[in-house]
Amino acid sequence: MKLRIRAAALCLALAVCLPLRGSAQASRISQDDLKQWLTYIASDDLQGRQVFTEGLALAGTYIADHLKQWNVRPGGDNGGYFQVVKVLGVHTDSRSSVDVTVNGQTRTFKDGEGVTFPRNQGSKQSITAKLDFVGYGITYSPLELDDYSGHDMHGKIAIYIGRRAPGMTATEDRLVNARGRFAVETEHASGAIGPAQQQPQGGGGAQGPAAGRGRGGNSPQRVDFTTVQRLDTPLAPAFTAGDDFYRFVFSASGQNYDDLKTRAGRQEALPRVNLENVSIRVNIDADYDVVQTRLTRNVVGIVEGTDARLRDTYVLLGAHYDHVGYQQFAGTVAAPESAIALCQGQHRPTPRPDDIINNGADDDGSGTVSLMAIAKAFATGQKPKRSLVFVWHAGEEAGLYGSRYMADYPVVPLDHVAAQLNIDMVGRNECDDATKANTLFLVGSDRISTELHNINEDANAALPMPLTLDYALNDIADTESLYTRSDHYSYASKGIPIIFFTTGLHKDYHYVTDEVDKIIFPKMTRIAQLVYTTANRLANLDHFPERDNKGPRMGRGETGKIAR
């Protein structure tokens, strides 16, 4: 007995038992707390917690009151727990253009005359680059499609045609719509050009190469797009182009563009095309007029680290506390049956009579209260060396409002952030499949930092009951494209390593039947304990996880650590 006590004391003195200590601290996360808090957060009193509503304000106050009770330091504006998020409606005055040179001959295409830029084009800039034709612009392993094979896109602008590559159907359209973003963010292209037929009327919509940059369309208030992000930040140019533009680009390639377009319309294989004699200069020149401002709030708390050298560096943890509100019209649902298409053979359950409130117990009430439990455990237990920032994001459902705002207007310097951990929907089994009772899906853990992925794997292995970590939703061929669809993406796009924790979709997703009585609290507790343990290891690490930016490698059927 004395030997064990001395060994434990020595272990603490040498600080070599952090994983064990972290696991012990994780046990402070209480299933009873989670249930008590979620019963309020997902109650009818909060009317579905839609952004810009009283219900969301009540939820935010509830979280802040608990942070104050646990002596978590306020991290918001003016010494409080709230960061005001300004949601801007913007009108664009665009003079942007593209100069294309083919074999020494130059033509200029203006925005709206042969090319269409998104309404949010970022700050003024000019970019000169070579073009690289990448076929359909698709990488999709189930069909063995890889249009980027053999292409080095650094310093080049990707140009593609058609819509669906050979063998693809409408079920893969989310991947098709994200081609421009994939070219820039995964293949490191300097920009992307897609065919004009992908661009919905009004410009700047979510289907073109600039998907995710704002909401298109003109309102009576002349609002071209809605954003919370800075308007003075340069963005990689991504626009659509008409047939005249494509014909000129391909005029010296030895390939007839109209023939290529016909083949693409038939979903046939496309040949390689040499555009070596083509160069392009993209001139971004847009002014923005803010014509509408709406306000919402992030909830922010900070637990300070104990180490003088590390306390000014941070681990960010987040969840979104908003949901989709209530049904204003009888018989409507917040999301269609297609939203749960992966749950084959399942349909929406029958709601209670007169039930119109989307309670969002799992989405993302489960993440909201899990983050509260983790904050409480850190605040009332042993503090790590590095500081922790807890953010309950507003408006995720409306377009990642809170996280995009935080990423552009951070409460701590982003270059002082080691990693961000995001929790969204962790209270159920995917499709209510009992065989997935131990399954937790991870997204993004390997993309920016291999070391972060391995730290989380080790944290899970240290738990008394390790979870089954599944990387299917991280697969580059995942048709749900979850990597870009929750708050972690706002930080990943700034180069910060992230992990997204989720248990997946189910038939109650965005529906009035997503209620507390369906939450699996023992499982949710264990997931919160894993996130705590991972955060604790990151917060005691003497360095930032290495950012090797090797992209998605863990996918369907892949398990375990990655060799470095």
Side-chain angles (χ1 to χ4, degrees):
M1 179 65 71
K2 288 181 181 179
L3 179 61
R4 275 189 242 170
I5 293 173
R6 287 174 184 163
L10 179 61
C11 175
L12 291 173
L14 296 177
V16 296
C17 291
L18 287 173
L20 179 60
R21 193 160 68 230
S23 298
Q25 288 286 106
S27 65
R28 299 168 61 89
I29 293 174
S30 163
Q31 180 177 317
D32 291 340
D33 280 347
L34 293 171
K35 188 170 186 178
Q36 176 187 337
W37 301 333
L38 187 58
T39 298
Y40 176 72
I41 289 292
S43 68
D44 286 357
D45 291 345
L46 273 60
Q47 299 181 348
R49 308 189 308 279
Q50 191 166 24
V51 68
F52 309 123
T53 67
E54 179 186 12
L56 187 65
L58 290 171
T61 300
Y62 183 79
I63 296 166
D65 287 346
H66 281 80
L67 296 179
K68 183 177 181 180
Q69 176 184 332
W70 305 326
N71 293 317
V72 175
R73 180 165 71 83
D77 301 334
N78 303 315
Y81 288 106
F82 299 109
Q83 179 193 40
V84 173
V85 176
K86 296 180 180 179
V87 184
L88 307 178
V90 184
H91 173 70
T92 304
D93 181 14
S94 174
R95 295 170 298 279
S96 296
S97 63
V98 184
D99 301 322
V100 183
T101 301
V102 180
N103 280 346
Q105 180 186 0
T106 300
R107 288 184 61 184
T108 298
F109 298 84
K110 297 180 180 180
D111 190 7
E113 300 177 13
V115 295
T116 302
F117 284 82
R119 295 305 83 198
N120 185 1
Q121 303 170 28
S123 62
K124 292 178 173 61
Q125 62 173 327
S126 292
I127 294 177
T128 301
K130 288 289 188 179
L131 288 181
D132 197 342
F133 178 61
V134 291
Y136 292 93
I138 293 291
T139 295
Y140 188 51
S141 55
L143 296 177
E144 298 184 352
L145 300 172
D146 186 0
D147 286 334
Y148 287 93
S149 178
H151 293 260
D152 180 0
M153 299 306 300
H154 289 82
K156 299 177 183 177
I157 292 178
I159 184 169
Y160 47 84
I161 66 174
R163 180 160 180 80
R164 298 177 190 137
M168 296 187 77
T169 66
T171 59
E172 290 94 12
D173 274 357
R174 194 185 294 276
L175 295 176
V176 173
N177 293 341
R179 287 181 291 180
R181 191 164 56 199
F182 180 86
V184 171
E185 296 176 1
T186 302
E187 296 297 332
H188 309 293
S190 297
I193 305 171
Q197 64 264 31
Q198 305 306 319
Q199 191 74 10
Q201 292 182 355
Q207 293 186 0
R213 302 221 190 274
R215 280 163 160 64
N218 295 306
S219 76
Q221 294 81 28
R222 297 165 52 243
V223 173
D224 288 342
F225 67 97
T226 300
T227 188
V228 296
Q229 295 173 282
R230 299 180 66 100
L231 297 169
D232 58 357
T233 301
L235 301 175
F239 57 91
T240 59
D243 288 340
D244 192 32
F245 177 94
Y246 274 92
R247 288 191 186 101
F248 184 61
V249 165
F250 282 81
S251 61
S253 69
Q255 295 283 345
N256 182 282
Y257 165 68
D258 290 296
D259 290 343
L260 291 174
K261 181 180 177 182
T262 298
R263 293 175 66 173
R266 296 171 180 166
Q267 292 185 251
E268 297 175 1
L270 298 177
R272 285 187 176 270
V273 178
N274 186 349
L275 298 179
E276 185 65 29
N277 294 325
V278 182
S279 64
I280 186 170
R281 182 177 180 85
V282 183
N283 308 295
I284 302 297
D285 184 8
D287 292 323
Y288 305 107
D289 183 17
V290 176
V291 296
Q292 180 187 74
T293 301
R294 291 177 292 171
L295 304 178
T296 184
R297 304 185 300 183
N298 289 332
V299 185
V300 189
I302 299 175
V303 173
E304 291 189 352
T306 60
D307 185 87
R309 182 175 64 88
L310 296 178
R311 72 162 60 99
D312 290 331
T313 63
Y314 306 90
V315 177
L316 268 58
L317 297 98
H320 72 90
Y321 73 110
D322 68 301
H323 193 50
V324 296
Y326 58 89
Q327 313 299 87
Q328 299 182 46
F329 304 101
T332 62
V333 295
E337 292 280 342
S338 59
I340 56 164
L342 65 92
C343 301
Q344 296 181 3
Q346 295 189 14
H347 300 282
R348 298 292 191 189
T350 302
R352 300 190 311 272
D354 302 320
D355 186 5
I356 64 168
I357 295 176
N358 297 287
N359 300 94
D362 194 20
D363 186 14
D364 184 27
S366 61
T368 295
V369 299
S370 294
L371 192 61
M372 291 174 66
I374 296 166
K376 179 183 178 182
F378 275 114
T380 61
Q382 186 167 0
K383 310 292 192 299
K385 297 177 181 179
R386 183 171 281 119
S387 298
L388 303 115
V389 180
F390 298 88
V391 185
W392 288 262
H393 299 108
E396 188 267 0
E397 301 287 5
L400 311 186
Y401 286 164
S403 59
R404 283 176 170 168
Y405 191 87
M406 177 64 77
D408 269 9
Y409 302 94
V411 298
V412 297
L414 291 188
D415 60 357
H416 289 200
V417 174
Q420 197 269 345
L421 308 179
N422 182 40
I423 315 170
D424 192 348
M425 295 183 66
V426 290
R428 302 273 292 270
N429 298 329
E430 185 185 53
C431 299
D432 296 318
D433 184 350
T435 66
K436 296 180 179 178
N438 201 51
T439 297
L440 173 65
F441 294 101
L442 299 181
V443 178
S445 63
D446 60 339
R447 298 196 181 208
I448 298 174
S449 172
T450 302
E451 186 176 5
L452 175 62
H453 171 88
N454 290 342
I455 287 170
N456 186 71
E457 282 280 344
D458 285 339
N460 183 59
L463 295 177
M465 296 175 58
L467 292 148
T468 301
L469 303 184
D470 192 312
Y471 296 95
L473 301 183
N474 186 59
D475 199 303
I476 200 169
D478 172 44
T479 56
E480 291 299 312
S481 191
L482 289 183
Y483 179 66
T484 63
R485 289 176 54 197
S486 190
D487 290 315
H488 57 275
Y489 182 66
S490 300
Y491 302 97
S493 64
K494 300 289 188 180
I496 296 173
I498 64 91
I499 305 178
F500 176 37
F501 300 84
T502 185
T503 50
L505 300 181
H506 44 71
K507 61 181 178 293
D508 301 294
Y509 172 69
H510 280 201
Y511 197 46
V512 296
T513 52
D514 181 6
E515 296 180 322
V516 175
D517 61 359
K518 298 183 179 180
I519 297 297
I520 307 171
F521 285 99
K523 179 176 184 176
M524 191 167 79
T525 303
R526 292 169 58 209
I527 293 170
Q529 290 170 345
L530 170 60
V531 179
Y532 173 96
T533 305
T534 299
N536 190 60
R537 287 173 177 245
L538 289 168
N540 283 298
L541 201 64
D542 63 1
H543 62 278
F544 278 13
E546 180 187 0
R547 301 180 183 188
D548 49 4
N549 292 292
K550 292 186 176 179
R553 286 150 290 159
M554 300 298 291
R556 188 174 300 277
E558 302 285 342
T559 59
K561 296 171 67 173
I562 299 173
R564 296 176 61 198

